[in-house]
Amino acid sequence: RFWSRLLSASPEHVIEIDADVGNGDETTTPAPSPLPIHTSVARDAGPLFKEEERREEGDGSFTVIPHRGQFRKRVLILCTGGTLTMSVDPTNFNSLAPVQGALTDYLAGMRELTDDPEMPEIISHEYKPLIDSSDMGPGDWAMLARDIHTNYYHFDGFVILMGTDTMAFAASALSFMLQNLGKPVIFSGSQIPLREPYNDARKNLIMATIFASSDTVS
């Protein structure tokens, strides 16, 4: 006994034929609805470089003035959320939760990044709202790829900070979206927030920044 399925002339229906019946009995059932397209709850960051780094031509197009070689290296950090960004949330009984702006404040106070002339200049962007990595999907991955594309010629490398639950999926997806890329894209996160006295977040963030500003990653 087996079932053969044939598409009818109407795309909304599928005809199922019972091959054992032998009398050509057919039943028409609605085809399953297409899967919804996943979209991000956050918005694209858009251009995060300085306006003077591109020149508008007479025909309305733009000429990019590359950042590379003009000053010390520069790394763009794109943060979607995750444990690394958790802090005390006063709106939720001071429990630990990803807090908007916490990463930016931490970066400003990290002397390893600000005082060492060998470290790159860092520009950071926190998506709003911050996204639990277990809720991330293709729409979020595409958003990250678009923002890297938009800012590609103005940064020497990129760091993506996110939760670890789906980091492997996001990194795999972007490896296909960003094939033949000439600059590093480093994914990082942590198991303990930056705000805790003992954490893995600080080292992970520093090392991700170093690798993102390296000419070769091996």
Side-chain angles (χ1 to χ4, degrees):
R1 182 181 180 87
F2 67 92
W3 290 84
S4 62
R5 306 186 66 179
L6 302 174
L7 289 176
S8 68
S10 173
E12 290 82 15
H13 294 84
V14 171
I15 297 176
E16 296 182 342
I17 302 174
D18 187 345
D20 279 353
V21 174
N23 58 6
D25 288 346
E26 299 179 356
T27 58
T28 303
T29 58
S33 301
L35 293 175
I37 298 175
H38 179 271
T39 57
S40 178
V41 297
R43 295 184 177 180
D44 291 18
L48 295 171
F49 50 85
K50 299 174 183 177
E51 188 59 34
E52 60 265 26
E53 292 178 10
R54 68 175 184 174
R55 181 176 63 247
E56 185 172 3
E57 305 296 346
D59 59 359
S61 62
F62 289 91
T63 296
V64 173
I65 303 174
H67 164 74
R68 182 181 290 274
Q70 295 186 12
F71 309 98
R72 63 175 179 165
K73 289 189 175 182
R74 185 163 60 178
V75 168
L76 176 60
I77 295 179
L78 299 173
C79 176
T80 66
T83 301
L84 186 144
T85 66
M86 284 185 172
S87 187
V88 173
D89 184 1
T91 66
N92 195 23
F93 305 102
N94 289 328
S95 61
L96 282 179
V99 174
Q100 202 82 42
L103 174 68
T104 302
D105 293 339
Y106 290 136
L107 288 173
M110 291 180 65
R111 297 182 60 187
E112 305 96 318
L113 301 178
T114 58
D115 293 356
D116 189 339
E118 297 298 320
M119 293 296 287
E121 177 188 358
I122 293 175
I123 305 297
S124 65
H125 174 76
E126 299 179 44
Y127 289 98
K128 187 175 183 178
L130 295 174
I131 312 168
D132 190 310
S133 66
S134 62
D135 294 329
M136 290 183 69
D140 304 297
W141 308 335
M143 175 185 67
L144 290 167
R146 287 193 300 269
D147 283 333
I148 290 175
H149 175 267
T150 299
N151 295 281
Y152 181 78
Y153 292 106
H154 302 276
F155 293 87
D156 298 286
F158 304 87
V159 173
I160 296 176
L161 299 179
M162 61 175 292
T164 56
D165 287 350
T166 59
M167 184 184 293
F169 302 117
S172 177
L174 261 71
S175 72
F176 289 99
M177 296 180 189
L178 304 175
Q179 291 187 57
N180 301 317
L181 209 66
K183 299 177 182 180
V185 178
I186 310 298
F187 280 78
S188 191
S190 70
Q191 301 299 310
I192 306 174
L194 263 172
R195 74 172 302 277
E196 297 296 326
Y198 177 79
N199 64 72
D200 59 334
R202 197 178 192 93
K203 179 181 177 182
N204 291 351
L205 182 53
I206 293 171
M207 293 305 299
T209 304
I210 291 174
F211 279 117
S213 61
S214 299
D215 291 324
T216 58
V217 179
S218 60

